[in-house]
Amino acid sequence: MKRNYLLAKVFLLAVVAACLGSSRADAAGADRPKLVVGIVVDQMRWDYLYRYYDLYGEGGFRRLMAEGYNCENTMINYVPTITGVGHASIFTGSVPAIHGIAGNSFMMDGRMTYCCADSTVSGVGGDTDAGRMSPRKLLATTIGDELKIATDFKAKVVGVSLKDRASILPAGHSADGAYWMDNSTGRFITSTYYMERLPQWVADFNGKYGGRSEDEISYSAYGNLVTAEMAKAAVEGEALGQDEVTDMLTVSFSVTDKVGHKYATHGPEIRGIFLDLDKRLADLFTFLDSKVGRGQYLVFLTADHGAANNALMLREHGIPAGGFVASKAAKELDGYLKGKFNTTRSLVCGIDNYQVFIDHEAVGALSLSLDEVKQAAIDWLKRDPQYAYVVDLERAMCATLPAPVRERLVNGYHRLRSGDIQIVLNPAHYETGGDDIGRGTTHGVWNPYDSHIPFILMGWHVMPGSTNAPVTINDIAATVCAMIHVQMPNGCIGNAVAF
């Protein structure tokens, strides 16, 4: 009897010990920071880290580079290299072929649609169409979604940006809120996808900062300020990083993109906006040090894309450069196809993101072969010497072009949403708004000026260092998820950076 009692006691103690050991293992496996902060700087070329390094203060970009781990050779591995696609790819660890955001706008059900447009929701905080947005067109989960799942949806996830797509796509499907600027009112809004009314802290913020015009916000240092202050207000209003459950904040600075498009990559305007952003970052990091705790939050900074140097500037220094007018090229191509196939009906919907969109309905109505129409279009486009390659996207894997470029075309092609034909321009050639190239610039192609982006981690469990090993935009989500011990997003094709 006594022996049986002792055996039972030993067994019970063994079970308790096993449970305690399991609990400790679970606790160790769930070691996470209080807050994850994902910062995207819209249209930030990698070399801006160094071009203005001597002008930056100690607390912003230079602090990131001194205290953080810098992945110097981070590349975008798809086209088009544009805002909606970039933000989706950073936070899903995926590419358009999988996450479905094939452009800022893309084809769905035979018509072009905006990447976040959602007619089933209404704006909250404003009654304009600017609020009719959601992440429903995004086909994959984000870092924030996976953090939600890992914490039984106890984590809070909030996205902030002047641009709707730069707030919505990073925050993901299950976010507690995504907030963006209604340019008609100068106030932050959201949609009924997330909530029925604005939180009081957002209403209070709008009362303090709202009401300025789009130009006052989107092209000035004030836009940086209001974005950073909104991020700080979100931390305080939602008590992010204030309990035992890890939260996430995504912040995208959009003014840099607006200024870059208007004034290009050199000159006082772009320099001024990055020096101002540096101050805003320094202030944000100081706030997080105080509010969350230095070393208690993990921050990463990256970009959705870069930008081409202005073609006129390059020409002045003997560097080949140029551009094409997409609307003009589309009209001329359509005219050629009408003549070739003896029809008055348009066969070209347009050219967007350097992709030709063929009108499939028109081709079918005329009993034409889509392959025949595409080949005719390709043959005609190849006559233009600034088009290095013209590729049938359905057959891109078999196309005769350099492997790195082919990979980007394949990764960027979603069969239900992308165009039919990809135009690959010569280096330093890009789409312009008209025959006059003008002072500004744009982005969207595979070349390093558009695809080489910064990626720096700082804070929780990050030791200073750097690497020149190849890293892709997809590796960002994989790395962050590995660090905080949550499953990578369900469309992720990246690998965690070893450091």
Side-chain angles (χ1 to χ4, degrees):
M1 187 81 171
K2 185 176 181 180
R3 185 173 181 272
N4 290 339
Y5 170 77
L6 289 173
L7 287 173
K9 187 174 182 180
V10 169
F11 176 77
L12 179 61
L13 288 172
V15 170
V16 170
C19 290
L20 288 173
S22 176
S23 295
R24 292 190 186 99
D26 289 344
D31 185 24
R32 296 179 182 130
K34 290 183 177 181
L35 179 65
V36 178
V37 182
I39 299 174
V40 181
V41 182
D42 204 323
Q43 200 184 121
M44 182 176 179
R45 292 166 53 111
W46 163 84
D47 59 356
Y48 288 167
L49 288 174
Y50 297 95
R51 184 181 302 173
Y52 308 125
Y53 183 84
D54 292 340
L55 301 176
Y56 291 143
E58 294 298 328
F61 286 114
R62 288 175 71 166
R63 176 179 172 184
L64 278 167
M65 297 170 75
E67 297 182 14
Y69 193 83
N70 191 351
C71 298
E72 299 271 19
N73 190 21
T74 302
M75 305 293 290
I76 296 173
N77 58 348
Y78 56 77
V79 289
T81 47
I82 56 176
T83 300
V85 185
H87 283 81
S89 299
I90 291 164
F91 289 89
T92 65
S94 194
V95 292
I98 297 170
H99 63 57
I101 304 300
N104 290 337
S105 295
F106 44 80
M107 191 70 71
M108 284 187 69
D109 302 322
R111 62 182 182 85
M112 294 298 288
T113 183
Y114 180 61
C115 62
C116 291
D118 187 345
S119 61
T120 70
V121 302
S122 301
V124 175
D127 57 3
T128 67
D129 286 343
R132 306 191 73 181
M133 303 288 166
S134 85
R136 286 194 171 108
K137 292 186 176 73
L138 180 64
L139 302 178
T141 59
T142 62
I143 300 170
D145 289 327
E146 294 299 332
L147 178 60
K148 282 274 194 179
I149 294 169
T151 60
D152 291 328
F153 298 92
K154 295 174 184 176
K156 287 186 177 181
V157 177
V158 177
V160 171
S161 181
L162 298 182
K163 292 182 179 179
D164 48 48
R165 58 188 179 273
S167 170
I168 293 168
L169 298 173
H173 302 274
S174 59
D176 296 273
Y179 303 97
W180 58 92
M181 185 67 68
D182 182 342
N183 291 324
S184 66
T185 65
R187 297 176 184 273
F188 277 96
I189 61 172
T190 187
S191 80
T192 52
Y193 177 87
Y194 305 98
M195 63 194 72
E196 294 300 320
R197 64 177 61 186
L198 286 178
Q200 188 59 47
W201 66 265
V202 180
D204 291 344
F205 185 90
N206 284 333
K208 183 177 181 180
Y209 290 98
R212 296 207 182 191
S213 70
E214 180 179 2
D215 285 347
E216 287 180 286
I217 298 171
S218 297
Y219 294 90
S220 74
Y222 186 78
N224 285 339
L225 172 67
V226 76
T227 303
E229 290 300 314
M230 183 63 174
K232 289 160 63 177
V235 171
E236 293 190 319
E238 298 292 342
L240 302 179
Q242 300 304 302
D243 59 23
E244 70 281 0
V245 181
T246 301
D247 299 318
M248 184 168 190
L249 173 68
T250 71
V251 187
S252 182
F253 290 92
S254 302
V255 175
T256 45
D257 182 68
K258 295 281 190 176
V259 173
H261 276 293
K262 188 172 183 179
Y263 298 107
T265 60
H266 288 69
E269 296 87 0
I270 197 70
R271 179 176 65 247
I273 208 65
F274 269 90
L275 295 185
D276 176 78
L277 176 59
D278 180 60
K279 296 175 183 177
R280 301 281 72 81
L281 290 174
D283 178 67
L284 179 59
F285 297 152
T286 299
F287 167 82
L288 292 171
D289 289 343
S290 173
K291 193 70 179 179
V292 182
R294 193 180 182 107
Q296 297 300 307
Y297 62 92
L298 172 65
V299 62
F300 66 91
L301 181 143
T302 187
D304 53 349
H305 54 76
N309 290 314
N310 179 267
L312 296 181
M313 180 195 76
L314 295 177
R315 286 178 182 175
E316 288 177 4
H317 297 276
I319 299 173
F324 85 114
V325 183
S327 58
K328 180 179 178 181
K331 183 177 181 180
E332 291 174 349
L333 173 61
D334 193 47
Y336 166 76
L337 293 176
K338 285 179 179 177
K340 180 173 180 61
F341 294 104
N342 192 28
T343 179
T344 59
R345 184 165 181 174
S346 291
L347 297 175
V348 178
C349 296
I351 297 177
D352 191 31
N353 300 328
Y354 305 94
Q355 295 176 2
V356 179
F357 288 80
I358 301 294
D359 189 331
H360 292 202
E361 182 180 339
V363 170
L366 294 169
S367 299
L368 297 173
S369 162
L370 178 60
D371 286 342
E372 185 180 4
V373 173
K374 286 194 292 185
Q375 190 57 55
I378 289 169
D379 291 341
W380 185 84
L381 289 166
K382 281 183 175 179
R383 299 175 185 178
D384 192 325
Q386 71 176 323
Y387 303 155
Y389 299 95
V390 184
V391 179
D392 180 347
L393 281 170
E394 189 69 26
R395 297 173 173 83
M397 185 61 78
C398 303
T400 304
L401 71 166
V405 181
R406 184 190 307 117
E407 178 189 22
R408 285 161 169 79
L409 267 60
V410 171
N411 285 344
Y413 175 62
H414 191 282
R415 68 179 185 86
L416 299 177
R417 298 182 174 185
S418 297
D420 299 281
I421 298 166
Q422 183 78 50
I423 297 171
V424 180
L425 297 172
N426 290 326
H429 285 65
Y430 53 81
E431 181 182 348
T432 65
D435 291 327
D436 179 15
I437 290 176
R439 184 182 177 188
T441 189
T442 191
H443 48 86
V445 297
W446 70 269
N447 306 73
Y449 45 79
D450 281 357
S451 62
H452 191 185
I453 56 175
F455 171 36
I456 308 176
L457 295 137
M458 184 186 78
W460 182 83
H461 288 192
V462 177
M463 297 296 291
S466 66
T467 180
N468 282 307
V471 173
T472 73
I473 192 171
N474 309 136
D475 298 335
I476 297 172
T479 301
V480 173
C481 288
M483 290 184 68
I484 66 174
H485 304 111
V486 304
Q487 180 61 275
M488 64 181 67
N490 61 17
C492 183
I493 61 171
N495 296 290
V497 174
F499 61 92

